[in-house]
Amino acid sequence: MSFTLPDLPYAHDALQPFMSKETLEYHHDKHHLAYVTNGNNLLKGTEWEGKSLEEIVKGSFGKNAGLFNNAGQHYNHLHFWKWMKPNGGGAIPGKLEKAIVDGLGSVDKMKEDFIQAGVTQFGSGWSWLAVKDGKIVVMKSANGESPLVQGASPILGCDVWEHSYYIDYRNRRPDYLKAFVDHLVNWEYVAEMYEAAIK
Ligand code: MN3
């Protein structure tokens, strides 16, 4: 398969004031597009041509850095757009909420740990909720890596590369992460990925 850039599931200005139209114009229209274009070029002629995106991400990790970086970021961003919605951050669907409490103690603790993972990720990367050995855990990763290459299934990720927040928050990464958790997360989509992860 080749990679294609999906449309955003909402208008570019729909996440304001927490994520601006300008940020999404750069982040989706330019950064994500570059991962798609570069990924397609680097995929050509490799053993992973014709494989699924997840197989490409896992297979190229540690073997083909250029392809991995672009395919990994394509995977991460495909979901990142769907992990947000206008007026997000509200109630968590019951079954997912129970699994969060089982794995991490409480919803507040999960939010605190998720934000802390993003704040302490040195340089570019992501903070994550993932399912590992049937339990929900908080993880972080560098650059284009994700729980997929750490033996886990990602169910929520926040992009902490500067391109994701510098226009709106400058150097205030903690404020960006807090706004993401409180106002942007689409918990219904997280619940959908949780269901898929525990199958
Ligand atoms: Mn990004």
Side-chain angles (χ1 to χ4, degrees), residues 66-80:
L67 176 59
F68 171 77
N69 287 337
N70 286 283
Q73 283 289 73
H74 178 48
Y75 174 90
N76 295 347
H77 287 80
L78 275 181
H79 295 291
F80 184 57

Side-chain angles (χ1 to χ4, degrees), residues 7-153:
D7 288 337
L8 285 177
Y10 33 73
H12 285 75
D13 62 1
L15 302 182
Q16 302 195 112
F18 306 107
M19 187 174 283
S20 66
K21 179 169 184 264
E22 188 183 2
T23 290
L24 285 174
E25 284 169 353
Y26 276 90
H27 197 180
H28 173 273
D29 303 2
K30 296 183 193 297
H31 288 276
H32 191 173
L33 178 63
Y35 299 133
V36 166
T37 306
N38 294 334
N40 281 329
N41 288 334
L42 292 163
L43 183 59
K44 273 183 207 136
T46 70
E47 64 186 283
W48 297 287
E49 224 176 344
K51 302 277 196 218
S52 74
L53 177 56
E54 285 192 28
E55 288 173 319
I56 296 167
V57 172
K58 289 183 193 171
S60 63
F61 181 61
K63 288 189 186 159
N64 182 330
L67 176 59
F68 171 77
N69 287 337
N70 286 283
Q73 283 289 73
H74 178 48
Y75 174 90
N76 295 347
H77 287 80
L78 275 181
H79 295 291
F80 184 57
W81 312 129
K82 297 200 263 184
W83 279 320
M84 299 187 287
K85 67 172 189 178
N87 303 309
I92 301 174
K95 187 175 171 187
L96 173 62
E97 183 176 15
K98 189 180 176 305
I100 287 170
V101 173
D102 285 349
L104 298 163
S106 69
V107 169
D108 284 347
K109 184 74 167 70
M110 171 275 289
K111 291 180 177 176
E112 192 186 307
D113 290 355
F114 181 85
I115 289 170
Q116 191 59 15
V119 169
T120 58
Q121 171 53 42
F122 187 76
S124 296
W126 294 74
S127 59
W128 300 98
L129 284 185
V131 175
K132 186 164 192 171
D133 304 323
K135 287 250 175 212
I136 295 190
V137 295
V138 171
M139 304 178 99
K140 60 183 170 183
S141 70
N143 302 317
E145 294 181 22
S146 76
L148 277 186
V149 297
Q150 301 173 345
S153 304

